[in-house]
Structure formats: structure tokens, C-alpha cells
Amino acid sequence: MWGDPMNDLHWLGVMDLAGAIAAKKLSPVEVVSAHLARIGALDDRLRSYLAVFADTALAAARAAEVAVTAGRPLGPLHGVPVAVKDLYAVKGSPTTGGSRFLKEPAPADCTVVARLRAAGAIILGKLNLHEFAYGPEGINLHYGTSWNPWDATTHRMPGGSSSGAGVAVAAGLAPMGMGSDTGGSIRIPAACCGTVGLKPTYGRVSRAGVLPLSWSLDHAGPLTRSVADAAVTLAAIAGRDPADPSSAARPVPDYVAGLAGPVRGLRVGLLREYVEGSDPEVQAAVGAAAKALEDLGCRVEEVAIPAARYAPGASTAILAAEATAYHEPLLRRHAAEYAPDVRRRLLVGRFLTATDYVRGQRARRLIRDDAEAVLRRVDCLLAPTLPIPAPPLTATEVRIGGRTESPRVALTAFTRLFNLTGHPVVALPCGFSREGLPLSLQLVGRAFDEETILRLAHAYEGATEWHRRRPPAA
Amino acid sequence: MVTRETLERVVQALSPDIPVPPEDWEAIVPQVRRMLEAVRTLDELPLDEVEPASLYELER
């Protein structure tokens, strides 16, 4: 089934690995060893990890192997190695946030890591990111920027801020990487690196123990190489957490069982404004995806969210104020140690007034009501994740059709809206550019209806081959 | 009007304990202008009867 297991192991996904381990066809020690070997071989160049927990991961793998041999009950992720963005607290390891000055070991696992371990997963290490999650390009001046594995010769943006997760998952250095998304930071690296990225509904997954960027807009979620792997991960980490007052008490459905449900008859709203605002190659890819959904029996119609044009203003007012508020104590002591771009963005936030912030939160309610109204008419929305493929790291502007834009504005143009509204979004590959770079679409669902978008994304994946391609630089 | 001088006075008056490195001002001034322009677009919205969204609303 797996050819040469020791050569193919790193391309097996979460569910395949868990199944093979439970069936005693693979040992957790083999699996973890294979991933550690691949990290050792490639990550000097790819720079997706900031810390690798080789000793503890192997010890956990040996314990996991004993449990399998002894016939003990196994969790859904038993023996599967995973990695987490270095915002997630892992007991005994510093949560650096991608900075140079946060060095204290975390006293305890954050809730997401604890739930991953409870499900049997093994924590391989901490993943690279744009410092303090404050950038969609995925740049890290302290540790080096992760290398997008889809271009072996030009250093392209891996996307941020969960850059390490995008690269590690795309290059087979982890079958799942936990990211965070405040303005697109799971979906942007997923799009740049050709992976699946799931931003659940706000409150679906606990943020406790995850370094915040903006409390109102932060979401925790996984990057994977398949929709099914995102579903099984979400099932393991979702649910009420008293340590996170924003976490929802709603029951957690069986997201994996839900993948097999029908998609015929689903009404899909194609966000016309976002398609028209994209590069022609992206437009063509999303258009082909819409046709594929119709072939699956969905009804695709064009929709618009009029208030979406105010998303940048509302998102800026909220994000800038909250990020600066969180970082003020750190800036007092460590301003010179921040990367200049992050420090400047934080300093800029000090010039917002309290009424600006409140205006942003009032606009957020209006924008969300607008999106909810559209989602009462259709079951989900379809849009490009990015208007362009991943630009070169050194790009100071990008061309989208006939206009130019800064990379930062372009990368967040279609993602920020759904951080404001809190709706669940899954980003997944929908094609490749002429240069061989991944293109991505996003499916947006109603609040707490991850099941529908995961089911539709899974069906789309089954009807296409995009997710099977492997990057040349890995 | 947003100028370096006006922004420096704000920093001195409100939070002198977080000084701005001199080399940052060249980047910060245009960023502040763009930020405030983006936020001012919200004045076009009919917010008269609209209350602020809260962190926990989607939970209901």
C-alpha cells in the first residue's frame, strides 16, 4: 500500500498514519524517525522549524509503540507527529513568538497542545512565523524566512504569519502544523504553499495559551495536506474551554463522518468582487473550481457582500489597537529587539483613538450582519484565497491584472473579512500558475457549520488532483 | 494634519515611556496616514443605531 514505507512515510497524512499505526503496519518510532530525518535533511534550507523536540518526540513515540503493542485504547491521532506555530505554549519550551527576547520555558501546554496529546499526537517541534504573527508575508529577520518549496531557485513568500506551518506541511516535514489566523495567517501560507488551511468559526477552538495578536480576530486552526486531515484535527481540538472565555459551548460534531455526506444541491455563492479583483490565472482557476462544484451537483450563483469593502478599515481599527495594547509592556522593555517592520506597525497602533476602535467594532457588527444575510440565501461562499500566486520575497509591489498593489495589501485582500465576521473558512489548492506556483480557493461557511465546507472541500478534492502534487524543492 | 511633529507631540504627551526610535519615523508617518485613512472610510457606514460587536457573540 505504501510502496517503500521508509521513503514514502513523510507524504502520508494524519489519517493514513493513524490508521497504519493502529493496524500495526507502521510503528510510531518509524514515523517520528522518518520525519526527524527529513527535517534534518531539508530544514537547514527550508527553515520551517524554530525548535525540534527530537528526544522527547522519540520518547513519546516509543511509549506510543508500547501502547499499540499492549492493545490499549488509542486516540484518533495516536503516534502521529505534528508541529505547532511558535505561538502555542508547549510545556518546558520557550514560546518565542518568533522573537529573540521571549525565552522563558512555558509552565504548561496550551489547551490545543494538551488536546492534541490527549488524542495521541506527538509534538515534533515549534514552527517558524512572521514575528508575533504580525505580517502576511511570513518574514522572520531573526531566524530566517521559511523557503517556499514551490520554487527551488527564487525565494518566494511562504505567506504568513504561519509560514513555518505552510512550508513544513507542503514539504513533508509534518503532516499537520497548527497555525493561527487574525487577518489570513492560516489561509495565506496555505495558499502560498499549496496546502489545506482551516480557520474554524471564532470560538470553535480555544485560544488559551496561544500568544495573542488581536483577541477579537484571532483564530487557531490546522494546516494539512488534505481536507480529511483538517477534519480529524479539528475534531481533536475543538470544544469549550473554560480557560478561553470566548470558546463556544456548542457540541463538537463528528467532522470526519460528516465528510461522506452528500453535496448535491448545495447552494454556493461565488463572491464576484473577489474574483474580479484577482489575477487572470486565479480567476480562471476559481472559475474552473466553480464548474467542478456544479459538476458535483452544486448550484453556483454570484453573490456580493456590499459591506465587505469596509473590512480593511474595520480590521485595521481593531487589529492595530488590540495588537499594540498587548505589546505595550513588551515595547517598554524590548523595543529595539523587535524586527523593524513589526515594531513600526505596533508603534503606529498607538495613534488610533478609543473612538476609532469602537467605530471598528460597530462596523464589524454591520459587516457581519451583511455576510450573515448572504449566508442565509446560500449554504457557503466561494472565493479566491489570494488574488495572486506567491510573490518573490523581495517584491515591493505586485501586479494584479492592470493595477499594482503592495504585497501586504494584496495578500490580505480576501481574507480579512472573515476574521471580522468569524465565519469558518477552509482554503485549499485549486490549480497552479504558469510558473508552477499553487493557486487557492476558500470556502466560507455559516457560523459553526464547518461540516458543510469540509464536506464540500473534501468532495472537490476527490474530483481534482491539485492536492497530490509535490513541490520541487522538497 | 499628520506630520512627524504632531505625532512626536502625541507620543511625548501620552506615552513618553515608549519612545520611537529616530530611524522609525520615516516609515511610521505614512503608515499612520494610511491607517487613519482606512479607518475614516467607516464614516460612510450607517452606524447610528449600531452597537459594538463583542468577543463572544458567535457563541450564542
Side-chain angles (χ1 to χ4, degrees):
Chain A
M1 181 177 170
W2 290 280
D4 178 350
M6 289 310 290
N7 283 333
D8 295 335
L9 262 179
H10 51 268
W11 292 126
L12 294 177
V14 174
M15 291 193 66
D16 283 343
L17 286 170
I21 288 168
K24 300 181 185 176
K25 294 184 177 176
L26 279 176
S27 149
V29 177
E30 282 179 288
V31 174
V32 168
S33 299
H35 282 86
L36 290 173
R38 189 162 174 83
I39 292 167
L42 297 182
D43 212 46
D44 269 353
R45 178 166 55 92
L46 295 179
R47 297 183 192 236
S48 61
Y49 280 83
L50 297 184
V52 179
F53 307 145
D55 291 344
T56 54
L58 282 169
R62 285 189 286 270
E65 187 174 59
V66 168
V68 173
T69 308
R72 291 188 208 134
L74 306 178
L77 306 181
H78 188 85
V80 178
V82 301
V84 300
K85 185 177 187 180
D86 203 4
L87 294 179
Y88 287 77
V90 173
K91 185 176 178 180
S93 174
T95 311
T96 70
S99 77
R100 280 289 189 201
F101 58 84
L102 290 183
K103 297 176 183 175
E104 288 303 308
D109 288 339
C110 65
T111 299
V112 163
V113 168
R115 288 181 178 180
L116 287 170
R117 290 199 211 262
I122 294 170
I123 309 299
L124 268 180
K126 297 292 208 77
L127 295 166
N128 203 347
L129 67 159
H130 202 117
E131 188 182 19
F132 290 121
Y134 213 175
E137 303 93 337
I139 292 167
N140 193 298
L141 295 181
H142 307 301
Y143 299 104
T145 298
S146 301
W147 187 283
N148 188 322
W150 289 96
D151 193 325
T153 54
T154 300
H155 197 171
R156 290 194 177 262
M157 289 180 191
S161 56
S162 312
S163 46
V167 170
V169 170
L173 274 61
M176 189 282 283
M178 283 301 301
S180 68
D181 194 313
T182 305
S185 292
I186 288 171
R187 293 163 286 155
I188 296 167
C192 287
C193 295
T195 74
V196 173
L198 174 63
K199 182 194 80 65
T201 309
Y202 185 83
R204 181 76 285 185
V205 175
S206 170
R207 296 171 297 114
V210 183
L211 279 185
L213 177 61
S214 170
W215 300 277
S216 297
L217 304 175
D218 287 346
H219 300 64
L223 288 87
T224 56
R225 290 191 295 272
S226 74
V227 175
D229 284 355
V232 72
T233 303
L234 181 63
I237 61 176
R240 173 72 179 154
D241 178 18
D244 177 358
S246 72
S247 77
R250 294 195 183 209
V252 179
D254 186 339
Y255 294 116
V256 177
L259 295 175
V263 299
R264 180 165 293 279
L266 283 178
R267 299 160 301 165
V268 179
L270 179 65
L271 275 173
R272 174 178 16 101
E273 185 179 342
Y274 284 4
V275 176
E276 290 173 352
S278 297
D279 179 272
E281 285 189 300
V282 173
Q283 290 190 28
V286 173
K291 174 73 173 56
L293 296 181
E294 286 180 327
D295 291 343
L296 288 170
C298 300
R299 210 167 70 227
V300 180
E301 60 185 86
E302 287 192 349
V303 297
I305 302 175
R309 61 187 290 260
Y310 298 102
S315 173
T316 295
I318 296 167
L319 172 50
E322 291 188 355
T324 301
Y326 176 77
H327 279 272
E328 266 193 336
L330 295 173
L331 284 167
R332 282 194 188 93
R333 300 194 303 275
H334 300 287
E337 296 167 86
Y338 281 76
D341 72 305
V342 175
R343 180 179 64 240
R344 288 163 189 169
R345 290 189 81 185
L346 291 169
L347 293 172
V348 164
R350 293 159 77 197
F351 299 103
L352 277 170
T353 65
T355 50
D356 287 332
Y357 174 76
V358 173
R359 187 180 301 121
Q361 290 287 15
R362 294 171 84 189
R364 179 167 159 242
R365 179 184 291 282
L366 216 62
I367 294 166
R368 193 165 68 207
D369 288 350
D370 227 24
E372 295 265 282
V374 175
L375 280 165
R376 280 193 287 273
R377 299 200 316 266
V378 295
D379 297 301
C380 64
L381 305 174
L382 166 66
T385 309
L386 303 178
I388 47 167
L393 194 64
T394 54
T396 53
E397 59 181 32
V398 294
R399 288 201 65 79
I400 306 170
R403 72 181 196 277
T404 53
E405 197 66 89
S406 78
R408 179 163 286 181
V409 170
L411 291 173
T412 58
F414 304 156
T415 53
R416 300 173 83 170
L417 169 63
F418 304 113
N419 295 86
L420 279 172
T421 67
H423 291 105
V425 189
V426 61
L428 65 160
C430 68
F432 286 84
S433 73
R434 275 186 303 273
E435 294 174 290
L437 300 169
L439 305 173
S440 175
L441 63 85
Q442 40 183 357
L443 293 170
V444 185
R446 300 182 183 126
F448 298 103
D449 190 16
E450 283 83 356
E451 288 170 284
T452 295
I453 56 171
L454 289 171
R455 187 164 81 245
L456 185 55
H458 179 69
Y460 172 77
E461 220 177 46
T464 57
E465 294 290 314
W466 312 121
H467 62 291
R468 298 194 192 284
R469 258 200 232 185
R470 302 294 172 227
Chain B
M1 180 144 99
V2 175
T3 63
R4 175 173 173 170
E5 290 68 35
T6 54
L7 296 181
E8 281 188 291
R9 282 203 290 272
V10 168
V11 167
Q12 278 305 311
L14 297 183
S15 51
D17 56 338
I18 310 178
V20 177
E23 66 272 19
D24 282 0
W25 281 114
E26 189 177 334
I28 283 176
V29 174
Q31 284 187 42
V32 171
R33 288 189 187 130
R34 282 196 297 272
M35 176 185 71
L36 295 179
E37 276 169 23
V39 174
R40 291 294 166 265
T41 64
L42 304 181
D43 292 342
E44 298 169 17
L45 286 169
L47 296 179
D48 287 350
E49 305 298 323
V50 179
E51 292 195 0
S54 78
L55 286 181
Y56 311 131
E57 274 180 20
L58 279 177
E59 202 277 317
R60 284 192 229 105

